[in-house]
Amino acid sequence: MDVLLGSRLQFAVAAMFHFLFVPLTLGLSVLTAVFETLYLKTGDEDYKRAAKFWGKLFLINFALGVVTGITLEFQFGTNWRYYSEYVGDVFGSLLAIEATLAFFLESTFIAVWHFGWNRLSPKLHCLAIWLVALGSNVSALWILLANGWMQNPVGYVIRNGRAELESFWAVVTNSFGWMEFIHTVTGAFILSSFFVLGVSAYHLLKGNEVEFFKKSFRVAAVFALVFSLFEVFNGHLHGSEVAKVQPTKLAAMESLWETKKGAPMYLFIIPDEKNERNLVEIGKIPGFLSFLAYHDFSATVKGLKEFPKEDRPPVLLTFLSFRLMVGLGFLFVLLSTLAWLKRNEPEKSPWLLRILLLSIPLPYIACEMGWIVAEVGRQPWIVYGLMKTKDAVSPLAPSQVLISLVAFIVVYTALGIIDFWLLTKYAKKGPDRA
Amino acid sequence: MEQNVFQVIWFVLWGVLWIGYFVLDGFDLGAGVLLPKLASNETERRIVYNAIGPFWDANEVWLITAGGATFAAFPKAYAIMFSGLYSALLLLLFCLIFRGVAIEFRGKQNDAGWRSKWDLVFVASSLVATLLLGVAFANIFRGLPIDEKGIIRGGLLYLLNPYGLLGGVFFVVMFAVHGALWVAYRSTGALYHRAKGWVLKLWPVEAVLAVLFLLVSFRSTSLWNNYFKHPFLFVFPIVAVVALILIPILVKRDSALWAWISSALFIVGAASWGLAGLFPNLLPSTLSPKNSLTVFNSSSSLLTLKVMTVVAFVFVPIMLCYKFWVYKTFSGKLTEETVYGEDAY
């Protein structure tokens, strides 16, 4: 295996595995904080038990999120040496700021929360979980500003043979990074509320702790609906931003080969990458792609053929991931609307509970698909328009990368299975008795 | 000129982050290395885990921040060092993954077999991680064969030279003493006495290794050159030696906390000795001084260094305040009933 392919696969494995744990950390920290705040406000013991129950699942998930995050930060250096050398002046500082501002906060106060039930006043204890929620979401902001810079590099100048920082302000106000942040965190909140809905549905179906899980269900249903609707809206804006700054990614997302004025959207497409065309195009909505991208039915959208072959991303993978993500996004609006409508007596709609239980994995799939669109769709660039992925890879021996790739896959699979098993065990067990 | 000032500031901050990591995660790792010797039953094992419980995760963040700071302030050094030490670094990361997971998962299943398997993972990963850190830093002090293209001509086996191994063993013993002192500080009864006993047993080994490391460094590295140029730097090894001598005296008087602070000062002194000797190198080349990575040829631009300085000077003091509060709130003596409660590992 060559070093480039091995390093790309390794980064994909490490990043996608890491992102199985991140969204639940971002969202469940907030939901746990909401439950604990409700306990403080109402004095209802069920909310305290809810904070403990969901917090325990949060901790099991958090552990793997943390340890798999460390490897990602170091992989820029181990596998992408020339990237680190060329853009480290801009990119490195964002990672360092993330650690200084967010990781210390998050890791310190999760321990305060975990070990502090009997040691701190209820208010201080509740503050701890809010600080964890703040820390993890601030960390998302900085890492996505870093990724946003790879997608849309701004505020730099080429000097001394590398990209040097010219305006820190431009880097931290990069609208692409903020769009990614909003889109990712909203997705994480959807995932977390579906997690709470699904686990609650399991217990409601079994008739366990009905009053307790109805309370969790109600909070999560409101969360799910608000954020599912917001995701459609901000996702649309994010897509128009992609159209502006990453025309090759947009064309791949839509499998659009020819540049078109008033480009249509097709409900169903089978791309044929080899022959640079679509094998099947069904369900034409005239001008709709132009409208989505530029808010103008007659705007011109650039097709893939506009760009040299070596500058195009893999079309099929980007296209399918995008379609799947968007389809799931609309499904979440539907499901969360149903959950919201039934939020006061969910136990009377077992069919909905069964669907919600089976839906737990869906937001996970949507999040991973989103990252495939973002990262595969950016190819062949590691920094869009500035540096190609193939020029970024470290001068390693193929055997080194092969061994580490296999190690990552084996270790992560084993840890993933153990974590899944523990999460299931504690989720099924339900809350401790009042 | 202005850039040079910030490059030096960042060398100091870079050093502070590494020293912070050694002092803090050092006792976590050391407690892991010594777990089978310190604890003789399940309750004692739980006390050891809970002694580091509220702290280890945040302590590991010092390593992440040190890595991030290397990337931000000295991107060229980050790029060359991390790709050049590929296998060793990934092995370290895997150890840290296993270690974190072991701590978190051990108590999640009420089954002695499950727990003893995770104990084994915890001890082995703590030991290998500590050894690798020592080997890595000894090799950084000694220098690595960096060629003119910035490629390190030597892999994992190259690092296992006698000086590197000496550094590794020194780290293991130093952290083991540091960890035993922390466990002593947080325990009572039989466990306290056993931890104290291990400090006194390992201390002579630590002292011999420390002296040996300082002496061999005359031959294997050029760390001492800075000291003869700037004799005031001798304050670092002197602090280290005084702190080291105080450890057994304080332990015998049963002031475990002060003995731990002495051990922390010893680590600060010893690490500062090495880093001050290294300056202005971040990673010297054994092939040609021209290929060495220094703070002057590997740093970020002036603007980046300035931005990072502002961030560090605002947020690090805040972080130190809340960390201090957490240590104050959570480091009382642990007893049997506290470690079987709901808010314990």
Side-chain angles (χ1 to χ4, degrees), chain A residues 73 81 89 404 425-426, chain B residues 64 78 86 108-109 150 301:
Chain A
E73 179 170 346
R81 171 188 156 173
D89 195 62
S404 62
K425 177 185 145 181
Y426 279 94
Chain B
I64 304 176
Y78 168 86
Y86 188 86
K108 295 285 185 291
Q109 178 83 339
S301 63

Side-chain angles (χ1 to χ4, degrees), chain A residues 235-241 243 250 254 263 265 287-297 301 322:
Chain A
H236 163 66
L237 292 182
H238 190 26
S240 342
E241 182 90 357
L250 185 87
E254 301 291 352
M265 175 129 187
F288 200 56
L289 180 54
S290 292
F291 174 74
L292 284 180
Y294 299 104
H295 300 136
D296 170 5
F297 283 98
V301 183
F322 180 64

